[in-house]
Amino acid sequence: MHRLASSVALTAALFAISGCSDGDVRPPAPTSSQASDDPTTAPPCDSTALEPEPAEPEVAVLDPVRAGDLDRTIAVAAVRHLAGVVGPREATGPAYRQAAGWVSRRLGRLGYDVVRQRVDVPAGESWGVAVPAGTSVNVVATPPGLEPGDPHLVVGAHLDTVPQAPGAEDNASGVGVLLAVAEAVAQRRTRLPVVLVAFGAEEPRGPGDADHHYGSRRYVALMGPRERRALRAMVSLDRVGVGDRVPIGSATASDPVQRSLLVAAGRAGVPVVADPEERSSDHWSFVRDGLPAARLGSTPYAGYHSAGDVPEVVSPDQLGRVGRLVLEWLAPK
């Protein structure tokens, strides 16, 4: 700012010395003989030659995200809203659509490009309750400007519940941490761009492995070759609000994503436990298709898949531990 003021003052001084102003009538240019014979003859005024060069636009440098940037009250409020106000969110029902709209608006207000992926879901039986065929959606939030071939990370959490459960721990807790992470990284720098996904239709609609995870399977199926090559890692947040240690699950005995999360937990001072052979969440849809992924969460609790899965089950402290771990994992090294 001081440099620009000095340039303007210098320009005004030069104009005054030359006797020119924006309102002056410019004299005709001297002939070559006049220019050589009369050294007092001034050339015509050229205001453009005296204008300061335009300043380079300033590029904002974002602060790097850190574990301490987490606001756990965002996660707590999301659990209370989804489980205490919206309630059970079966993947094809109106309550799920209400929840998906609420999450979409929250992410959109943070500046993400938000789209909804349609997910076709078959009829079946979900934890003893008959459920109809229908459609669900994945809510996908992408940082503006991210191209399919750009290296990136995915953090996801399923938004649906079994029909009889308000789903505070399973899985408003995961969605709550997702939203808190989204807020923390929206205006901060991460080691790679982060895509955030609220998956539909994770809960079972039958007894077999092929009878659930419909939303994440749809997401993976829609990934093109460039996007698949660009995905560096995916983390599923599923049942992350119970206990005092954070389970870090791998679909096999161990894998690079799990190990990187364990290292991040150590840096953030978050107590964890390694959970091998863990395949009962959306990370499995990625791993079985050859993509790197792991899970956070899965501590047993009494209200699992029941009407007792209410907000009081969820520990704000545990939500904070998981959120800090995720932010430390996302932070630039």
Side-chain angles (χ1 to χ4, degrees):
M1 184 172 180
H2 295 301
R3 192 179 338 178
L4 179 58
S6 299
S7 298
V8 173
L10 175 61
T11 301
L14 289 171
F15 274 18
I17 292 170
S18 66
C20 295
S21 68
D22 284 345
D24 287 334
V25 177
R26 271 45 174 179
T31 63
S32 57
S33 61
Q34 286 176 321
S36 58
D37 294 341
D38 186 359
T40 64
T41 303
C45 296
D46 183 0
S47 61
T48 60
L50 301 176
E51 289 178 357
E53 292 188 6
E56 291 291 331
E58 293 186 6
V59 178
V61 178
L62 300 179
D63 291 332
V65 73
R66 294 291 180 243
D69 293 324
L70 185 88
D71 182 355
R72 79 176 191 186
T73 65
I74 294 173
V76 173
V79 170
R80 291 174 179 166
H81 178 77
L82 291 171
V85 177
V86 179
R89 304 174 297 283
E90 189 277 315
T92 63
Y96 182 86
R97 291 191 289 275
Q98 178 186 350
W102 182 78
V103 170
S104 297
R105 290 188 295 274
R106 292 289 300 270
L107 292 168
R109 284 197 293 268
L110 290 171
Y112 295 94
D113 293 332
V114 181
V115 299
R116 302 190 200 188
Q117 294 176 339
R118 176 186 170 120
V119 182
D120 292 323
V121 186
E125 185 177 293
S126 184
W127 220 250
V129 178
V131 287
T135 60
S136 189
V137 294
N138 295 328
V139 178
V140 182
T142 304
L146 183 70
E147 298 294 333
D150 293 342
H152 66 282
L153 304 166
V154 171
V155 177
H158 76 85
L159 181 57
D160 64 312
T161 69
V162 294
Q164 63 270 47
E169 168 67 347
D170 190 15
N171 185 41
S173 65
V175 175
V177 172
L178 181 83
L179 292 173
V181 167
E183 188 276 337
V185 305
Q187 297 299 325
R188 296 180 180 89
R189 179 164 47 88
T190 53
R191 60 188 171 95
L192 288 172
V194 183
V195 177
L196 302 143
V197 188
F199 292 112
E202 186 271 347
E203 295 291 3
R205 304 175 88 80
D209 183 60
D211 296 322
H212 59 163
H213 304 151
Y214 294 97
S216 53
R217 285 157 54 190
R218 176 65 173 162
Y219 182 90
V220 170
L222 290 174
M223 294 175 71
R226 293 177 63 204
E227 190 177 359
R228 292 172 64 92
R229 289 192 297 270
L231 176 64
R232 296 296 181 261
M234 180 270 181
V235 171
S236 175
L237 309 174
D238 192 350
R239 292 170 40 203
V240 297
V242 169
D244 55 11
R245 295 188 299 169
V246 180
I248 302 181
S250 169
T252 57
S254 184
D255 62 69
V257 182
Q258 183 201 47
R259 290 192 289 273
S260 69
L261 288 163
L262 290 168
V263 170
R267 290 196 304 266
V270 174
V272 296
V273 56
D275 189 10
E277 307 296 337
E278 169 57 70
R279 300 182 179 184
S280 57
S281 187
D282 287 310
H283 69 297
W284 175 232
S285 298
F286 290 77
V287 173
R288 70 179 180 182
D289 218 41
L291 299 169
R295 173 184 179 173
L296 296 180
S298 74
T299 302
Y301 67 110
Y304 178 65
H305 281 189
S306 76
D309 193 1
V310 293
E312 291 72 23
V313 167
V314 174
S315 162
D317 288 342
Q318 185 72 337
L319 295 176
R321 293 183 194 103
V322 174
R324 292 198 307 275
L325 193 166
V326 174
L327 291 186
E328 185 61 40
W329 183 70
L330 296 174
K333 302 299 183 282

